[in-house]
Amino acid sequence: MKRNPETLALAMDYAAAMEACAAYVAVRNPSVREPEAAYRLLRPLLTAATGGDAQESFMVILLDTKNKPIGIPRECTRGLLDQSPVHPREVFREAVRDSAASVILGHNHPSGDPTPSKEDIDITRRLIEAAKILGIRIVDHVICGRASPDSPGYVSLREKNLVAFD
């Protein structure tokens, strides 16, 4: 099997992003209470994991009772250019294993436009119902796009009141 230098470089970038995120969480151990803080944790990992937003990726930030991250954000699923299949089993597997009190959901839109789709809202509602059964609270769902002078680069479904989280 031939080794592709571009694939190797991408894997190294992803590993570096994971290490940087883990170091940040370990040293700073910040509380994640605002969508911007979630975006800062998710954006580098999403970019590295998807080769610069070549495809959609769905991640979860596990939080303890004080809203501090439990480890680094975890990728639940990776999909196609414009969709990623999301199932509660995949999203909450690590949350149950690591006894997370709550989670923040996040995914990217490869188009760069973080405007939530109807599917984004529907899956968030489904995940909230599943989380209630498990006793896990969903704090927010942050959709990551690209920052511009007109946009911070993300949309928080909680801030926009598009879904009832409580």
Side-chain angles (χ1 to χ4, degrees):
M1 173 190 246
K2 272 188 165 179
R3 296 190 190 270
N4 182 340
E6 293 171 1
T7 303
L8 182 59
L10 182 60
M12 291 173 65
D13 288 347
Y14 183 63
M18 295 293 282
E19 286 177 20
C21 187
Y24 174 77
V25 168
V27 172
R28 300 280 311 268
N29 202 13
S31 290
V32 182
R33 298 185 187 278
E34 303 295 324
E36 184 179 355
Y39 175 75
R40 283 195 316 265
L41 281 175
L42 291 168
R43 182 72 262 179
L45 294 176
L46 287 165
T47 300
T50 63
D53 284 340
Q55 59 193 138
E56 197 166 294
S57 177
F58 196 94
M59 293 192 156
V60 63
I61 302 172
L62 308 181
L63 302 171
D64 66 13
T65 56
K66 297 186 183 215
N67 283 359
K68 293 190 176 195
I70 300 170
I72 60 173
R74 322 285 168 79
E75 184 178 51
C76 301
T77 63
R78 189 175 306 171
L80 305 171
L81 176 63
D82 61 350
Q83 65 180 356
S84 181
V86 179
H87 191 278
R89 175 183 56 245
E90 308 306 323
V91 173
F92 297 114
R93 174 182 290 135
E94 303 267 342
V96 170
R97 184 179 302 144
D98 290 349
S99 300
S102 57
V103 299
I104 297 175
L105 309 173
H107 78 280
N108 64 322
H109 279 179
S111 68
D113 179 3
T115 304
S117 68
K118 179 185 180 316
E119 291 80 15
D120 294 336
I121 294 167
D122 290 344
I123 191 61
T124 303
R125 287 184 179 131
R126 264 188 48 213
L127 292 172
I128 289 170
E129 291 306 312
K132 286 178 184 175
I133 293 168
L134 295 170
I136 297 171
R137 182 174 165 256
I138 295 182
V139 176
D140 201 349
H141 184 165
V142 177
I143 301 172
C144 302
R146 289 188 197 90
S148 71
D150 303 331
S151 166
Y154 67 89
V155 169
S156 158
L157 270 63
R158 179 179 284 280
E159 278 185 343
K160 297 285 185 185
N161 290 317
L162 295 172
V163 179
F165 284 91
D166 300 312

